[in-house]
Amino acid sequence: MTKKIKLSELGSLFGGLDIEALEGVKIEGDVELDLGQMGLNPQMAYALGHETAQMAFHLMNISRILGYPIDQMLGSPAQQKPVRPSKLIESKFGVARNEDWKTPIQEVVLGATSSDGGSRKSTVTLGGEVALPYYFDGPMPHRNHITMDVFDMPINMAKAVKSNYEDVINSPAEWAKKVVRDFGADMVTIHLISTDPNIKDTSPKEAAKTVEDVLQAVDVPIVIGGSGNPEKDPAVLEKAAEAAEGERCLLASASLNLDYARIAEAAKKYNHVVLSWTQLEINAQKELNRKLMKQCGVARENIIMDPTTAALGYGLDYAYTNMERIRLAGLSGDLELNFPMSSGTTNAWGARESWMVSSPLKEDTDWGPREYRGPIWEIVTGLTLSLAGNDLFMMMHPTAVQVLKEITQTLYGSKETEPVNIDDWVSAVV
Amino acid sequence: MKLNSPLQVYKYLPQINCAECGDATCMAFGAHLIDRSKKLEDCPPILKDKYKKKYIELQTLLAPEIRQVTIGVGENVKNIGGDDVIYRHQLTFFNPTAFAYDVWDTMPEQELIDRVNKISNFRKFYVGKFLKVDMVAIRCVSGDAMKFAGAVKKVAETTKLPIVLCSFDPVCLRAALEVVKERRPLVYAATEKNWSEVAELAQNYKVPVVLFSPDLDKLKSLAATFQEMGIKDLVLDPGTYPQGKQLKESFERFVKLRRAGIKEGQKDIAYPLMSIPLNAWLVYKDAVTASYWETVLASVFIVRYADIMILHSLEPYAMLPEVHLRDTIYTDPRTPVKVAPGVNEVGSPTKDSPVIITTNFALTYYTVESDLSSNKINCFLAAVDTDGIGVEAAVAGGQLTAAKIKDTFAKANFEIKEKTTHSTLILPGLAARLQGDVEDVTGLRVMIGPPDSGRIPGWMEKNWPPKQK
Ligand code: SF4
């Protein structure tokens, strides 16, 4: 394919540009160049006259620099000899750090040791990032952490999860011990679901007792979760906060559809941290954070956000992008959004792919054993959100916890392993 | 792309507002070019000779920052790359990561055929479509050119999927290319050592080629050299190390390359990126552990910028999360979260058919709808306006209430007592706590369905039609 263009056209094309190469060059008449013929062949160009040739070359170079599709106009280089350099062109690769990220994420400490008025052996610090997770732009001061779920009554669980907890299902304290001792949980979440009026309507006072038991049983920081009943939760969390005074627990959660002020008040009064929970809506998250700070007077170092986790295949795209946008906004200076984030990664178990024996659709390729599907669903859901900026993961399956720890700590940079040679992966026997 | 407003595009369009593109004005069409929802070729006038100059200019200015590379031919052709943004919310990502699953030339023939069929037959239904995998990567393990070419031939005979030829030996690559040159396979790979011979192959056979080096200076050298030689259909493999610091560095290389390509417009490296999660198998021998770790690596690089990857595990517990995560990341975020509220017919319902309630969250709605239609259940499906929130969350958050349900039927002019013989509603299992309220507010009988719509068929067998009171 050979395209003919007129030199004068090319000239006028770049006429508005201040191009040195064009200065002093006079075009006499309308010389029509057949660029397809000429190509980059210097002899051919020479034959057309020195001046014109030089100009054509410059133009082509300029065009190329400007991104003009000179090569398309040149068409197929059939008549040309392919270029065959004898050695590689030397190059240096470089890329700049992201200059938009000037605002660090707020650091938040969970748990309090005896020197700080609590009884925890260790604390967990979240936040402090100055870039997207694991990026080279700046140091990530704290690794991701995992808090494992404990319930105050037996609940329905996927089979793969349940088999790990059958021996402790009636004792939140033993359950808590097990996740810390056997499964390496950094923290424990005690979900007071029995307080729901539609479940057991356990009184706030009784629920607070459960919290005390868990605090006795383990020495890691804890999260205190309500039942999710918006009428009951404030009272339950208030009592629990009181029972756990000074321990810097994470109170889950304050949200726009319940009396968040009461929860904020309890956190302030008994030295805890508030989990600010919204549903996949960045503006709602801003609004709630603002209310917690301005209206309720919660200090910045006492706020963590839960922007909602949807499972892989069930809205993870919204959850991922919502978190990524929140984190980018925070790093770029939005002081209503630069808080650490927490994910209810356990929601992955709501995906049918994680627990159903087989696909309900005949057209699907066999789903294989569900025992393997569940944990990886939890892992991939969590891992995806870790890349969006999530700091704390609420999880259930021990294998999922191990694998998520392994990959997040590898990307964080704390996993040392023997170097692997991948140069011959093509011929590896696997 | 180099333009960022419809006005800038408008300057290059014919400006005659003939509406042949389907938009009323050239300006409106310009907006579609900016958000990449239409192609320049959708404007017939600009293809005329008169506008040729502008057409060519505009084509260049609209070209995506990351080059789009085409692998394969015919109906199974696969494009990779072509991205313009580094975060999906800024526009959307284009050309979902291509998944190539490996076979190798030392496999017994029948095993090879079975494996290739397994790859090409994989499917997972999801929101009105099937998630599938894309390519077969043939690894030269034998080091024997004839053997390699033989395996490649077998694969080409067995599947129409695009092919990736994997060997660092130009002799083996040439033998394979001779067999499948008309399929436009992707050649893997040119390195610091073999680049000259592989470049010659890419030139002679006119096929796309992968450049491999974990050293970004060398990778850029390779890319610059190939470009100089006129080879533009390049894919870069900056190395996927399976663990430790090396993996962290691999991650950083993907981020750096993509940032340089899109944000800094460094044309020399603005090519699609390839990741090799298969390398998990170099460190884990236990199949389940290796499959898990491969899925983990795949996930990391699906999110952060791999445009194509080579995988090994065909276990469903590896493939299912992989295809779903790819869909997650590449779904256009501009498509609405919600479906229109209302009462819809699934199949051809009669007065005896059930009336099932769900929310207007698109994912929930389509999942329920596909479960019903795939199992040939005729019914009325009501999408309640929950602001696009799923059932469980909407019950907790107060977006799914008895009043909202009643309202949905009222607005749709759907009088249940007239339209059905049974005057019954079926609530999702996750909304069981609304049963009493809904009964009070609507005066209808309310049944509780299963918590997952996949179980509706079994539930129907046991519970439908409802027993007469
Ligand atoms: S078809 Fe082309 S010329 Fe006609 S209105 Fe659309 S953009 Fe303008």
Side-chain angles (χ1 to χ4, degrees), chain B residues 71-73 76 78 100-101 103 116 134-138 148 151-166 176 179-181 183-188 207-208 308:
Chain B
I71 303 164
V73 289
N76 287 293
K78 205 82 207 166
Y101 285 82
V103 297
V116 170
D134 313 288
M135 301 185 187
V136 179
I138 307 147
F148 185 48
V152 169
K153 185 155 183 274
K154 220 357 108 208
V155 173
E157 285 166 8
T158 313
T159 182
K160 287 203 174 73
L161 291 184
I163 286 168
V164 188
L165 303 172
C166 305
V179 178
V180 287
K181 56 182 175 233
R183 294 274 291 261
R184 196 177 160 79
L186 175 64
V187 168
Y188 185 99
V207 286
I308 178 169

mmCIF file of all heavy atoms in Angstrom, chain B residues 71-73 76 78 100-101 103 116 134-138 148 151-166 176 179-181 183-188 207-208 308:
data_model
loop_
_atom_site.group_PDB
_atom_site.id
_atom_site.type_symbol
_atom_site.label_atom_id
_atom_site.label_comp_id
_atom_site.label_asym_id
_atom_site.label_seq_id
_atom_site.Cartn_x
_atom_site.Cartn_y
_atom_site.Cartn_z
ATOM 1 N N ILE B 71 -3.277 -11.659 18.497
ATOM 2 C CA ILE B 71 -2.751 -13.020 18.443
ATOM 3 C C ILE B 71 -3.843 -13.911 17.852
ATOM 4 O O ILE B 71 -5.013 -13.802 18.227
ATOM 5 C CB ILE B 71 -2.367 -13.513 19.853
ATOM 6 C CG1 ILE B 71 -1.351 -12.539 20.477
ATOM 7 C CG2 ILE B 71 -1.782 -14.925 19.806
ATOM 8 C CD1 ILE B 71 -1.193 -12.706 21.971
ATOM 9 N N GLY B 72 -3.451 -14.792 16.945
ATOM 10 C CA GLY B 72 -4.419 -15.694 16.338
ATOM 11 C C GLY B 72 -5.113 -15.053 15.150
ATOM 12 O O GLY B 72 -4.887 -13.882 14.836
ATOM 13 N N VAL B 73 -5.992 -15.844 14.516
ATOM 14 C CA VAL B 73 -6.729 -15.354 13.354
ATOM 15 C C VAL B 73 -8.173 -15.848 13.446
ATOM 16 O O VAL B 73 -8.483 -16.716 14.253
ATOM 17 C CB VAL B 73 -6.114 -15.886 12.033
ATOM 18 C CG1 VAL B 73 -4.781 -15.234 11.733
ATOM 19 C CG2 VAL B 73 -5.971 -17.397 12.075
ATOM 20 N N ASN B 76 -11.415 -16.791 16.629
ATOM 21 C CA ASN B 76 -10.811 -16.910 17.950
ATOM 22 C C ASN B 76 -9.684 -15.920 18.175
ATOM 23 O O ASN B 76 -8.918 -16.043 19.111
ATOM 24 C CB ASN B 76 -10.294 -18.325 18.165
ATOM 25 C CG ASN B 76 -11.431 -19.292 18.381
ATOM 26 O OD1 ASN B 76 -12.113 -19.212 19.390
ATOM 27 N ND2 ASN B 76 -11.665 -20.162 17.417
ATOM 28 N N LYS B 78 -7.453 -12.950 19.353
ATOM 29 C CA LYS B 78 -7.455 -12.335 20.683
ATOM 30 C C LYS B 78 -6.592 -11.074 20.651
ATOM 31 O O LYS B 78 -5.438 -11.135 20.226
ATOM 32 C CB LYS B 78 -6.847 -13.340 21.687
ATOM 33 C CG LYS B 78 -7.292 -13.128 23.092
ATOM 34 C CD LYS B 78 -8.634 -13.756 23.348
ATOM 35 C CE LYS B 78 -9.342 -13.028 24.451
ATOM 36 N NZ LYS B 78 -10.754 -13.399 24.510
ATOM 37 N N ALA B 100 -3.447 -18.193 28.810
ATOM 38 C CA ALA B 100 -2.925 -19.293 27.998
ATOM 39 C C ALA B 100 -2.544 -20.420 28.955
ATOM 40 O O ALA B 100 -1.817 -20.205 29.914
ATOM 41 C CB ALA B 100 -1.706 -18.834 27.202
ATOM 42 N N TYR B 101 -3.074 -21.606 28.715
ATOM 43 C CA TYR B 101 -2.743 -22.754 29.557
ATOM 44 C C TYR B 101 -1.727 -23.621 28.821
ATOM 45 O O TYR B 101 -1.784 -23.752 27.607
ATOM 46 C CB TYR B 101 -3.999 -23.537 29.918
ATOM 47 C CG TYR B 101 -4.798 -22.810 30.971
ATOM 48 C CD1 TYR B 101 -5.661 -21.789 30.616
ATOM 49 C CD2 TYR B 101 -4.634 -23.095 32.331
ATOM 50 C CE1 TYR B 101 -6.360 -21.073 31.577
ATOM 51 C CE2 TYR B 101 -5.329 -22.383 33.298
ATOM 52 C CZ TYR B 101 -6.190 -21.379 32.918
ATOM 53 O OH TYR B 101 -6.870 -20.668 33.875
ATOM 54 N N VAL B 103 0.714 -26.786 27.497
ATOM 55 C CA VAL B 103 0.900 -28.203 27.216
ATOM 56 C C VAL B 103 2.380 -28.303 26.875
ATOM 57 O O VAL B 103 3.044 -27.278 26.737
ATOM 58 C CB VAL B 103 0.031 -28.702 26.029
ATOM 59 C CG1 VAL B 103 -1.441 -28.571 26.337
ATOM 60 C CG2 VAL B 103 0.374 -27.955 24.755
ATOM 61 N N VAL B 116 -5.745 -30.288 25.743
ATOM 62 C CA VAL B 116 -6.132 -29.175 24.867
ATOM 63 C C VAL B 116 -7.659 -29.045 24.833
ATOM 64 O O VAL B 116 -8.208 -27.935 24.928
ATOM 65 C CB VAL B 116 -5.572 -29.374 23.439
ATOM 66 C CG1 VAL B 116 -6.177 -28.347 22.476
ATOM 67 C CG2 VAL B 116 -4.055 -29.263 23.442
ATOM 68 N N ASP B 134 -8.452 -18.676 27.004
ATOM 69 C CA ASP B 134 -8.230 -18.151 25.662
ATOM 70 C C ASP B 134 -7.247 -18.858 24.743
ATOM 71 O O ASP B 134 -7.402 -18.810 23.543
ATOM 72 C CB ASP B 134 -7.760 -16.707 25.787
ATOM 73 C CG ASP B 134 -8.609 -15.937 26.753
ATOM 74 O OD1 ASP B 134 -9.746 -15.635 26.414
ATOM 75 O OD2 ASP B 134 -8.145 -15.676 27.881
ATOM 76 N N MET B 135 -6.181 -19.429 25.297
ATOM 77 C CA MET B 135 -5.100 -19.869 24.412
ATOM 78 C C MET B 135 -4.444 -21.143 24.918
ATOM 79 O O MET B 135 -4.618 -21.528 26.075
ATOM 80 C CB MET B 135 -3.991 -18.806 24.360
ATOM 81 C CG MET B 135 -4.455 -17.460 23.881
ATOM 82 S SD MET B 135 -3.074 -16.324 23.701
ATOM 83 C CE MET B 135 -3.987 -14.820 23.356
ATOM 84 N N VAL B 136 -3.661 -21.751 24.034
ATOM 85 C CA VAL B 136 -2.840 -22.888 24.425
ATOM 86 C C VAL B 136 -1.375 -22.498 24.223
ATOM 87 O O VAL B 136 -0.993 -22.047 23.141
ATOM 88 C CB VAL B 136 -3.172 -24.135 23.587
ATOM 89 C CG1 VAL B 136 -2.272 -25.299 23.999
ATOM 90 C CG2 VAL B 136 -4.637 -24.516 23.742
ATOM 91 N N ALA B 137 -0.579 -22.640 25.273
ATOM 92 C CA ALA B 137 0.852 -22.355 25.182
ATOM 93 C C ALA B 137 1.581 -23.689 25.126
ATOM 94 O O ALA B 137 1.409 -24.529 26.003
ATOM 95 C CB ALA B 137 1.315 -21.545 26.391
ATOM 96 N N ILE B 138 2.356 -23.878 24.064
ATOM 97 C CA ILE B 138 3.063 -25.150 23.922
ATOM 98 C C ILE B 138 4.515 -24.954 24.317
ATOM 99 O O ILE B 138 5.223 -24.139 23.720
ATOM 100 C CB ILE B 138 2.967 -25.670 22.477
ATOM 101 C CG1 ILE B 138 1.499 -25.703 22.055
ATOM 102 C CG2 ILE B 138 3.600 -27.055 22.366
ATOM 103 C CD1 ILE B 138 1.309 -25.408 20.602
ATOM 104 N N PHE B 148 8.927 -30.871 18.866
ATOM 105 C CA PHE B 148 8.177 -29.664 19.201
ATOM 106 C C PHE B 148 7.170 -29.346 18.088
ATOM 107 O O PHE B 148 5.978 -29.137 18.341
ATOM 108 C CB PHE B 148 9.154 -28.501 19.408
ATOM 109 C CG PHE B 148 8.513 -27.219 19.873
ATOM 110 C CD1 PHE B 148 7.602 -27.200 20.931
ATOM 111 C CD2 PHE B 148 8.828 -26.001 19.269
ATOM 112 C CE1 PHE B 148 7.023 -26.022 21.368
ATOM 113 C CE2 PHE B 148 8.253 -24.815 19.700
ATOM 114 C CZ PHE B 148 7.352 -24.822 20.740
ATOM 115 N N ALA B 151 4.208 -31.644 18.186
ATOM 116 C CA ALA B 151 3.225 -31.329 19.225
ATOM 117 C C ALA B 151 2.402 -30.114 18.817
ATOM 118 O O ALA B 151 1.179 -30.067 19.009
ATOM 119 C CB ALA B 151 3.929 -31.084 20.557
ATOM 120 N N VAL B 152 3.073 -29.132 18.241
ATOM 121 C CA VAL B 152 2.388 -27.910 17.820
ATOM 122 C C VAL B 152 1.338 -28.251 16.758
ATOM 123 O O VAL B 152 0.216 -27.744 16.779
ATOM 124 C CB VAL B 152 3.418 -26.882 17.279
ATOM 125 C CG1 VAL B 152 2.715 -25.723 16.585
ATOM 126 C CG2 VAL B 152 4.292 -26.371 18.424
ATOM 127 N N LYS B 153 1.692 -29.133 15.865
ATOM 128 C CA LYS B 153 0.771 -29.546 14.810
ATOM 129 C C LYS B 153 -0.480 -30.185 15.416
ATOM 130 O O LYS B 153 -1.612 -29.894 15.046
ATOM 131 C CB LYS B 153 1.489 -30.537 13.886
ATOM 132 C CG LYS B 153 0.700 -30.963 12.668
ATOM 133 C CD LYS B 153 1.647 -31.406 11.560
ATOM 134 C CE LYS B 153 0.894 -31.771 10.299
ATOM 135 N NZ LYS B 153 0.428 -33.184 10.311
ATOM 136 N N LYS B 154 -0.236 -31.067 16.372
ATOM 137 C CA LYS B 154 -1.343 -31.752 17.038
ATOM 138 C C LYS B 154 -2.270 -30.739 17.705
ATOM 139 O O LYS B 154 -3.497 -30.823 17.594
ATOM 140 C CB LYS B 154 -0.735 -32.676 18.103
ATOM 141 C CG LYS B 154 -1.269 -34.056 18.369
ATOM 142 C CD LYS B 154 -2.423 -34.634 17.705
ATOM 143 C CE LYS B 154 -2.145 -35.706 16.711
ATOM 144 N NZ LYS B 154 -3.025 -35.917 15.627
ATOM 145 N N VAL B 155 -1.684 -29.798 18.399
ATOM 146 C CA VAL B 155 -2.489 -28.786 19.076
ATOM 147 C C VAL B 155 -3.314 -28.001 18.055
ATOM 148 O O VAL B 155 -4.516 -27.799 18.231
ATOM 149 C CB VAL B 155 -1.598 -27.823 19.896
ATOM 150 C CG1 VAL B 155 -2.425 -26.663 20.456
ATOM 151 C CG2 VAL B 155 -0.915 -28.569 21.044
ATOM 152 N N ALA B 156 -2.659 -27.600 16.976
ATOM 153 C CA ALA B 156 -3.347 -26.799 15.963
ATOM 154 C C ALA B 156 -4.502 -27.580 15.339
ATOM 155 O O ALA B 156 -5.547 -27.009 15.000
ATOM 156 C CB ALA B 156 -2.362 -26.358 14.888
ATOM 157 N N GLU B 157 -4.332 -28.875 15.218
ATOM 158 C CA GLU B 157 -5.406 -29.706 14.670
ATOM 159 C C GLU B 157 -6.567 -29.856 15.658
ATOM 160 O O GLU B 157 -7.714 -30.046 15.275
ATOM 161 C CB GLU B 157 -4.890 -31.112 14.341
ATOM 162 C CG GLU B 157 -4.037 -31.180 13.088
ATOM 163 C CD GLU B 157 -3.268 -32.499 12.996
ATOM 164 O OE1 GLU B 157 -3.506 -33.425 13.824
ATOM 165 O OE2 GLU B 157 -2.426 -32.597 12.097
ATOM 166 N N THR B 158 -6.225 -29.807 16.940
ATOM 167 C CA THR B 158 -7.223 -30.077 17.970
ATOM 168 C C THR B 158 -8.062 -28.859 18.334
ATOM 169 O O THR B 158 -9.224 -28.985 18.695
ATOM 170 C CB THR B 158 -6.538 -30.626 19.238
ATOM 171 O OG1 THR B 158 -5.627 -31.652 18.848
ATOM 172 C CG2 THR B 158 -7.536 -31.196 20.224
ATOM 173 N N THR B 159 -7.462 -27.669 18.261
ATOM 174 C CA THR B 159 -8.202 -26.486 18.720
ATOM 175 C C THR B 159 -8.026 -25.320 17.760
ATOM 176 O O THR B 159 -7.021 -25.222 17.056
ATOM 177 C CB THR B 159 -7.735 -26.046 20.126
ATOM 178 O OG1 THR B 159 -8.519 -24.927 20.531
ATOM 179 C CG2 THR B 159 -6.272 -25.655 20.143
ATOM 180 N N LYS B 160 -9.024 -24.432 17.791
ATOM 181 C CA LYS B 160 -8.929 -23.199 17.019
ATOM 182 C C LYS B 160 -8.401 -22.055 17.878
ATOM 183 O O LYS B 160 -8.202 -20.944 17.393
ATOM 184 C CB LYS B 160 -10.309 -22.820 16.486
ATOM 185 C CG LYS B 160 -10.813 -23.690 15.358
ATOM 186 C CD LYS B 160 -11.858 -22.912 14.554
ATOM 187 C CE LYS B 160 -12.317 -23.635 13.326
ATOM 188 N NZ LYS B 160 -13.205 -24.773 13.638
ATOM 189 N N LEU B 161 -8.184 -22.316 19.167
ATOM 190 C CA LEU B 161 -7.701 -21.256 20.045
ATOM 191 C C LEU B 161 -6.331 -20.769 19.562
ATOM 192 O O LEU B 161 -5.560 -21.532 18.988
ATOM 193 C CB LEU B 161 -7.557 -21.779 21.476
ATOM 194 C CG LEU B 161 -8.829 -22.129 22.243
ATOM 195 C CD1 LEU B 161 -8.486 -22.532 23.675
ATOM 196 C CD2 LEU B 161 -9.813 -20.969 22.252
ATOM 197 N N PRO B 162 -6.029 -19.496 19.815
ATOM 198 C CA PRO B 162 -4.701 -18.988 19.476
ATOM 199 C C PRO B 162 -3.610 -19.751 20.243
ATOM 200 O O PRO B 162 -3.863 -20.342 21.290
ATOM 201 C CB PRO B 162 -4.753 -17.527 19.919
ATOM 202 C CG PRO B 162 -6.191 -17.183 19.978
ATOM 203 C CD PRO B 162 -6.903 -18.447 20.345
ATOM 204 N N ILE B 163 -2.414 -19.716 19.666
ATOM 205 C CA ILE B 163 -1.320 -20.539 20.159
ATOM 206 C C ILE B 163 -0.144 -19.668 20.584
ATOM 207 O O ILE B 163 0.165 -18.659 19.942
ATOM 208 C CB ILE B 163 -0.890 -21.517 19.034
ATOM 209 C CG1 ILE B 163 -1.945 -22.615 18.887
ATOM 210 C CG2 ILE B 163 0.497 -22.104 19.291
ATOM 211 C CD1 ILE B 163 -1.771 -23.461 17.637
ATOM 212 N N VAL B 164 0.514 -20.070 21.673
ATOM 213 C CA VAL B 164 1.771 -19.439 22.073
ATOM 214 C C VAL B 164 2.851 -20.502 21.946
ATOM 215 O O VAL B 164 2.701 -21.608 22.479
ATOM 216 C CB VAL B 164 1.723 -18.928 23.535
ATOM 217 C CG1 VAL B 164 2.964 -18.099 23.854
ATOM 218 C CG2 VAL B 164 0.455 -18.133 23.803
ATOM 219 N N LEU B 165 3.928 -20.177 21.218
ATOM 220 C CA LEU B 165 5.031 -21.131 21.039
ATOM 221 C C LEU B 165 6.137 -20.767 22.012
ATOM 222 O O LEU B 165 6.705 -19.686 21.932
ATOM 223 C CB LEU B 165 5.558 -21.054 19.606
ATOM 224 C CG LEU B 165 4.539 -21.310 18.492
ATOM 225 C CD1 LEU B 165 5.172 -21.007 17.130
ATOM 226 C CD2 LEU B 165 4.045 -22.746 18.546
ATOM 227 N N CYS B 166 6.464 -21.697 22.924
ATOM 228 C CA CYS B 166 7.435 -21.369 23.962
ATOM 229 C C CYS B 166 8.729 -22.153 23.809
ATOM 230 O O CYS B 166 8.749 -23.380 24.009
ATOM 231 C CB CYS B 166 6.861 -21.645 25.346
ATOM 232 S SG CYS B 166 5.307 -20.809 25.665
ATOM 233 N N ALA B 176 8.437 -24.906 14.526
ATOM 234 C CA ALA B 176 7.032 -24.783 14.928
ATOM 235 C C ALA B 176 6.313 -23.749 14.067
ATOM 236 O O ALA B 176 5.163 -23.946 13.661
ATOM 237 C CB ALA B 176 6.949 -24.403 16.402
ATOM 238 N N VAL B 179 4.944 -24.866 10.873
ATOM 239 C CA VAL B 179 3.708 -25.637 10.985
ATOM 240 C C VAL B 179 2.469 -24.750 11.160
ATOM 241 O O VAL B 179 1.413 -25.039 10.619
ATOM 242 C CB VAL B 179 3.805 -26.627 12.177
ATOM 243 C CG1 VAL B 179 2.516 -27.405 12.333
ATOM 244 C CG2 VAL B 179 4.985 -27.566 11.987
ATOM 245 N N VAL B 180 2.593 -23.689 11.945
ATOM 246 C CA VAL B 180 1.398 -22.891 12.283
ATOM 247 C C VAL B 180 1.518 -21.423 11.906
ATOM 248 O O VAL B 180 0.847 -20.575 12.481
ATOM 249 C CB VAL B 180 1.072 -22.967 13.799
ATOM 250 C CG1 VAL B 180 0.508 -24.317 14.144
ATOM 251 C CG2 VAL B 180 2.273 -22.618 14.652
ATOM 252 N N LYS B 181 2.333 -21.115 10.921
ATOM 253 C CA LYS B 181 2.559 -19.694 10.616
ATOM 254 C C LYS B 181 1.270 -18.961 10.251
ATOM 255 O O LYS B 181 1.093 -17.798 10.594
ATOM 256 C CB LYS B 181 3.617 -19.524 9.536
ATOM 257 C CG LYS B 181 3.323 -20.268 8.246
ATOM 258 C CD LYS B 181 4.463 -20.064 7.250
ATOM 259 C CE LYS B 181 4.218 -20.895 6.018
ATOM 260 N NZ LYS B 181 5.354 -21.753 5.666
ATOM 261 N N ARG B 183 -1.501 -19.240 11.529
ATOM 262 C CA ARG B 183 -2.382 -19.016 12.695
ATOM 263 C C ARG B 183 -1.968 -17.789 13.511
ATOM 264 O O ARG B 183 -2.537 -17.512 14.560
ATOM 265 C CB ARG B 183 -2.373 -20.263 13.601
ATOM 266 C CG ARG B 183 -2.987 -21.500 12.963
ATOM 267 C CD ARG B 183 -4.488 -21.566 13.155
ATOM 268 N NE ARG B 183 -4.845 -21.814 14.525
ATOM 269 C CZ ARG B 183 -5.186 -23.002 15.025
ATOM 270 N NH1 ARG B 183 -5.193 -24.049 14.233
ATOM 271 N NH2 ARG B 183 -5.517 -23.131 16.286
ATOM 272 N N ARG B 184 -0.966 -17.096 13.062
ATOM 273 C CA ARG B 184 -0.453 -15.934 13.777
ATOM 274 C C ARG B 184 -0.242 -16.223 15.276
ATOM 275 O O ARG B 184 -0.854 -15.610 16.160
ATOM 276 C CB ARG B 184 -1.383 -14.733 13.611
ATOM 277 C CG ARG B 184 -0.705 -13.406 13.994
ATOM 278 C CD ARG B 184 -1.613 -12.199 13.744
ATOM 279 N NE ARG B 184 -1.175 -11.040 14.522
ATOM 280 C CZ ARG B 184 -0.150 -10.264 14.172
ATOM 281 N NH1 ARG B 184 0.523 -10.488 13.078
ATOM 282 N NH2 ARG B 184 0.194 -9.242 14.948
ATOM 283 N N PRO B 185 0.635 -17.191 15.555
ATOM 284 C CA PRO B 185 0.895 -17.512 16.958
ATOM 285 C C PRO B 185 1.759 -16.439 17.613
ATOM 286 O O PRO B 185 2.379 -15.636 16.912
ATOM 287 C CB PRO B 185 1.681 -18.823 16.866
ATOM 288 C CG PRO B 185 2.384 -18.751 15.563
ATOM 289 C CD PRO B 185 1.457 -17.992 14.633
ATOM 290 N N LEU B 186 1.771 -16.431 18.940
ATOM 291 C CA LEU B 186 2.672 -15.545 19.689
ATOM 292 C C LEU B 186 3.946 -16.328 19.962
ATOM 293 O O LEU B 186 3.888 -17.475 20.434
ATOM 294 C CB LEU B 186 2.019 -15.114 21.000
ATOM 295 C CG LEU B 186 2.869 -14.283 21.967
ATOM 296 C CD1 LEU B 186 3.248 -12.934 21.351
ATOM 297 C CD2 LEU B 186 2.110 -14.055 23.284
ATOM 298 N N VAL B 187 5.095 -15.736 19.660
ATOM 299 C CA VAL B 187 6.366 -16.427 19.866
ATOM 300 C C VAL B 187 6.973 -16.016 21.207
ATOM 301 O O VAL B 187 7.107 -14.832 21.500
ATOM 302 C CB VAL B 187 7.342 -16.102 18.713
ATOM 303 C CG1 VAL B 187 8.745 -16.573 19.052
ATOM 304 C CG2 VAL B 187 6.862 -16.746 17.421
ATOM 305 N N TYR B 188 7.326 -17.010 22.009
ATOM 306 C CA TYR B 188 7.965 -16.763 23.301
ATOM 307 C C TYR B 188 9.310 -17.476 23.293
ATOM 308 O O TYR B 188 9.327 -18.687 23.170
ATOM 309 C CB TYR B 188 7.104 -17.314 24.437
ATOM 310 C CG TYR B 188 7.676 -16.977 25.797
ATOM 311 C CD1 TYR B 188 7.183 -15.911 26.533
ATOM 312 C CD2 TYR B 188 8.748 -17.699 26.334
ATOM 313 C CE1 TYR B 188 7.723 -15.583 27.768
ATOM 314 C CE2 TYR B 188 9.287 -17.362 27.562
ATOM 315 C CZ TYR B 188 8.774 -16.305 28.272
ATOM 316 O OH TYR B 188 9.320 -15.971 29.478
ATOM 317 N N VAL B 207 4.963 -12.434 12.906
ATOM 318 C CA VAL B 207 4.196 -12.848 14.085
ATOM 319 C C VAL B 207 4.589 -11.981 15.281
ATOM 320 O O VAL B 207 5.692 -11.446 15.323
ATOM 321 C CB VAL B 207 4.474 -14.334 14.431
ATOM 322 C CG1 VAL B 207 3.780 -15.256 13.439
ATOM 323 C CG2 VAL B 207 5.967 -14.627 14.500
ATOM 324 N N PRO B 208 3.670 -11.846 16.220
ATOM 325 C CA PRO B 208 4.009 -11.109 17.440
ATOM 326 C C PRO B 208 5.006 -11.902 18.281
ATOM 327 O O PRO B 208 5.021 -13.134 18.230
ATOM 328 C CB PRO B 208 2.667 -10.967 18.158
ATOM 329 C CG PRO B 208 1.803 -12.049 17.613
ATOM 330 C CD PRO B 208 2.283 -12.323 16.216
ATOM 331 N N ILE B 308 -1.504 -10.685 29.442
ATOM 332 C CA ILE B 308 -1.571 -12.080 29.020
ATOM 333 C C ILE B 308 -0.783 -12.876 30.052
ATOM 334 O O ILE B 308 0.180 -12.364 30.632
ATOM 335 C CB ILE B 308 -1.001 -12.275 27.594
ATOM 336 C CG1 ILE B 308 -1.021 -13.749 27.172
ATOM 337 C CG2 ILE B 308 0.405 -11.686 27.452
ATOM 338 C CD1 ILE B 308 -0.713 -13.976 25.696
#
